[in-house]
Structure formats: structure tokens, C-alpha cells
Amino acid sequence: MNSMVIMCIVLMLLSTVVMSIASILSKKSIVDREKSTPFECGFDPFYVARIPFSLKFFLIAVIFLIFDVEIAIILPVMMVMNTSLPEMWMITFSIFIVILLVGLYYEWYQGALEWSN
């Protein structure tokens, strides 16, 4: 075999062994109840440390990502406009904008954009 192939195999085996040893050594063997609870000056916690996350924030983040990706798709479309047929470009771009507007209307209709509940 080629010496380069042998060296690659040795390096892969060596890295696998090093990662396995690091994984074994990094595991905590003792789980202490006191160390896994939040510290409140020696008192029991007054409230739950893990408050449920509001889905409104998640929904707004997803809506932002959708419209952010839309901008990333629209910008290259402007550059393609010079190399394609104007009719095909207009039809494709119009369909894309209509789909986005229908999605925005649906979110508005479902109340996803309203914060007063």
C-alpha cells in the first residue's frame, strides 16, 4: 500500500483513541443532588429555575428567518434579470412574491403578528 494511505489510517485510529479517552475521562462519575440544584444562598429555591419559553418569541423568530431568506433569494434574482427573458423573469418573480404575500396574510389572519392576547 501507499505510505500516504497508511499514514491516514494511523492518524484516524490515533484520533479515535484520543477522542475515546477524552470522552471517558470527562464524564462525571458522581451526581450530587446539592450540586445539581440552583444555589439560593442556602435556602430552597423560591421558584422554578426553568421558566417555560413563550412560543410568541419562537414564532417571531421563525417569521423573521422566512423573510430574511426571502431577501437572500430576491437579491440574486435582480442579477439574473439581464440574462433571462423578461416575460419568464416577471412570471417567476410574481409567483414568488404572491406566495410570500399569501404566507404573510395567513400569518396575519391567524393572529401570529399580534402581541395582545
Side-chain angles (χ1 to χ4, degrees):
M1 285 211 291
N2 192 355
S3 64
M4 192 69 147
V5 173
I6 294 173
M7 189 165 54
C8 288
I9 292 173
V10 168
L11 285 175
M12 285 177 32
L13 287 173
L14 182 65
S15 64
T16 303
V17 168
V18 169
M19 286 190 290
S20 299
I21 291 172
S23 175
I24 291 170
L25 292 177
S26 68
K27 291 184 180 177
K28 292 182 180 179
S29 60
I30 300 172
V31 177
D32 188 13
R33 181 180 169 273
E34 295 296 325
K35 288 186 178 181
S36 62
T37 59
F39 179 69
E40 300 249 355
C41 300
F43 298 104
D44 289 331
F46 296 119
Y47 56 90
V48 178
R50 304 201 190 284
I51 300 171
F53 187 71
S54 174
L55 288 178
K56 284 286 189 182
F57 293 109
F58 178 73
L59 187 61
I60 292 297
V62 169
I63 291 170
F64 171 76
L65 284 175
I66 289 170
F67 287 102
D68 194 38
V69 169
E70 163 213 346
I71 299 218
I73 291 173
I74 286 178
L75 288 176
V77 167
M78 298 301 169
M79 294 178 193
V80 173
M81 182 174 67
N82 294 333
T83 60
S84 63
L85 296 173
E87 296 84 17
M88 289 302 293
W89 180 85
M90 193 60 131
I91 290 170
T92 305
F93 194 68
S94 297
I95 290 172
F96 182 73
I97 295 296
V98 165
I99 290 171
L100 285 173
L101 288 176
V102 167
L104 180 64
Y105 174 74
Y106 180 74
E107 290 168 357
W108 191 4
Y109 180 73
Q110 291 293 321
L113 302 176
E114 296 177 14
W115 281 91
S116 60
N117 280 343

